[in-house]
């Protein structure tokens, strides 16, 4: 309880907080972590997930990509958990400046967060590769086989696949938010997935807080470390 009190004091004192989150933020909502023991990387498919979710595979084997993607990546009925809700509340109260996330599920926005930098894109935006028209995730989920536009073009999710680079504008916004923050809360991430994990190095503020089930490479650098579930920690805070 002492560490929760310490974190509460930090939340009370500062109003320039940035949150950097990974897969562990969404696991409490029921979305599997890619690298956990029961996560997507340990399930059995014709191809490994990192191959299916690559640009090359999408271009060469689009039907198989979408068979996997619709089945495993489009969890559209999943609801925000205590972590998402608390962060939205912190932003509304003027405490939190931005959320930087490696997740593509849109749960931060669903909870009410406004300033969200989605480093790996989102399942909720999909673009026709031929004419550029946008489609929502529901359209993709309900489509038969490969989703196509009225113009005949194939629709591609605005999700950063393996072999693709991160969006420059999103990265700049995230770096700026982290570099100017007084407090950085890093949660639900092993800090081993690059280039996203490297953005934490831009933080030069007063307090670094880490919340992750397992130890991370930055535990020793942090002012406060929780080896607990993100929602359980943030849910105990008052804003």
């Amino acid at each position: 309880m002492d560490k929760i009190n310490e974190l509460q004091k930090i939340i009370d004192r500062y109003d320039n907080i940035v949150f950097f989150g990974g897969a562990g933020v969404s696991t409490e909502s029921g979305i599997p972590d890619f690298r956990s023991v029961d996560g997507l990387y340990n399930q059995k498919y014709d191809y490994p997930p990192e191959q299916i979710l690559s640009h090359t595979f999408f271009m060469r084997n689009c039907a198989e990509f979408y068979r996997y993607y619709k089945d495993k990546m489009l969890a559209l009925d999943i609801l925000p958990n205590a972590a998402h809700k608390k962060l939205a509340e912190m932003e509304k109260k003027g405490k939190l400046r931005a959320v930087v996330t490696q997740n593509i599920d849109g749960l931060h926005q669903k909870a009410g967060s406004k300033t969200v930098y989605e480093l790996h894109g989102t399942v909720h935006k999909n673009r026709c590769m031929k004419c550029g028209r946008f489609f929502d995730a529901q359209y993709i989920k309900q489509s038969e086989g490969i989703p196509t536009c009225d113009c005949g073009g194939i629709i591609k999710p605005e999700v950063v696949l393996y072999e693709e680079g991160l969006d420059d504008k999103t990265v700049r916004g995230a770096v700026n938010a982290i570099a100017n923050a007084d407090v950085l809360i890093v949660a639900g991430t092993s800090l081993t997935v690059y280039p996203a994990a490297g953005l934490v190095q831009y933080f030069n503020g007063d307090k670094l807080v880490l919340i992750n089930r397992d130890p991370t490479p930055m535990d020793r650098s942090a002012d406060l470390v929780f080896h607990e579930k993100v929602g359980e920690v943030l849910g105990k805070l008052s804003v």
Side-chain angles (χ1 to χ4, degrees), residues 19 34 78 97 106 117 123 127 134 139 141 157 159 162 169-170 187 195-196 232:
F19 180 87
F34 274 87
I78 296 290
R97 295 290 178 90
Y117 296 102
V123 300
R127 188 194 294 268
F134 275 94
Y139 181 90
K141 184 83 171 178
V159 168
Y162 289 98
K169 184 179 178 182
T170 303
E232 290 180 2

Side-chain angles (χ1 to χ4, degrees), residues 166-182:
L166 304 187
D167 177 71
D168 286 343
K169 184 179 178 182
T170 303
V171 171
R172 284 197 302 271
V175 166
N176 186 58
I178 291 170
N180 289 292
D182 293 326

Side-chain angles (χ1 to χ4, degrees), residues 57-123:
F57 195 92
F58 177 86
M59 298 304 291
R60 293 180 179 174
N61 201 340
C62 199
E64 184 67 12
F65 169 91
Y66 267 117
R67 191 169 72 86
Y68 175 90
Y69 180 82
K70 285 187 241 184
D71 185 37
K72 297 297 177 186
M73 309 299 286
L74 290 182
L76 303 184
D77 55 346
I78 296 290
L79 298 174
N81 61 51
H84 300 107
K85 293 174 183 175
K86 185 62 68 174
L87 292 167
E89 184 185 352
M90 287 171 64
E91 183 185 42
K92 193 174 182 180
K93 295 289 179 67
K95 289 287 182 181
L96 189 78
R97 295 290 178 90
V99 168
V100 179
T101 181
Q102 298 176 74
N103 298 333
I104 60 174
D105 50 51
L107 289 178
H108 286 293
Q109 290 93 330
K110 192 179 280 190
S113 290
K114 304 297 183 188
T115 304
V116 182
Y117 296 102
E118 296 172 302
L119 296 174
H120 295 151
T122 174
V123 300

Side-chain angles (χ1 to χ4, degrees), residues 3-4 7 209-213 224-228 233:
K3 286 201 292 185
I4 287 291
L7 181 54
V209 179
L210 288 181
I211 309 169
N212 196 52
R213 198 172 52 183
L224 206 51
V225 177
F226 296 86
H227 289 154
E228 301 173 46
V233 174

